[in-house]
Amino acid sequence: LNAGVRSISNVFVDRTNILALDGYGTLTLGARYQRGMLEYGVTVNNVTDTEYFESALYDTQLYPGKPINVLATLRVRVR
């Protein structure tokens, strides 16, 4: 099992430091299981489905963060 927290504080997006993006936090959870040569994994990013802006290009373009998403993996270990 694994878990991760990402916390970002307010970030100014203009040259005069007047406009700022709000800070945000995201939570990631995951699990792995290995049996023989196979390893299975699943990771859930942004578990709480927090809406946020990840970055900005000055005060003209805002880039939204990713919503909740799931990544599944299958690894074959050859020895």
Side-chain angles (χ1 to χ4, degrees), residues 39-61:
E39 181 179 296
Y40 308 91
V42 65
T43 302
V44 181
N45 297 301
N46 196 4
V47 172
T48 58
D49 203 20
T50 300
E51 292 183 356
Y52 61 97
F53 290 104
E54 193 166 30
S55 63
L57 180 58
Y58 301 111
D59 57 350
T60 59
Q61 296 180 22

Side-chain angles (χ1 to χ4, degrees):
L1 297 174
N2 57 55
V5 175
R6 181 177 183 198
S7 178
I8 304 295
S9 63
N10 294 349
V11 177
F12 289 107
V13 296
D14 65 336
R15 294 179 183 160
T16 58
N17 289 342
I18 295 174
L19 295 174
L21 293 178
D22 290 336
Y24 64 90
T26 61
L27 174 64
T28 300
L29 299 175
R32 291 186 317 166
Y33 175 74
Q34 185 173 352
R35 183 176 177 117
M37 292 176 34
L38 298 178
E39 181 179 296
Y40 308 91
V42 65
T43 302
V44 181
N45 297 301
N46 196 4
V47 172
T48 58
D49 203 20
T50 300
E51 292 183 356
Y52 61 97
F53 290 104
E54 193 166 30
S55 63
L57 180 58
Y58 301 111
D59 57 350
T60 59
Q61 296 180 22
L62 299 176
Y63 299 97
K66 296 178 184 174
I68 187 171
N69 60 82
V70 178
L71 173 67
T73 59
L74 172 63
R75 181 184 300 178
V76 179
R77 295 191 179 262
V78 181
R79 295 183 182 165

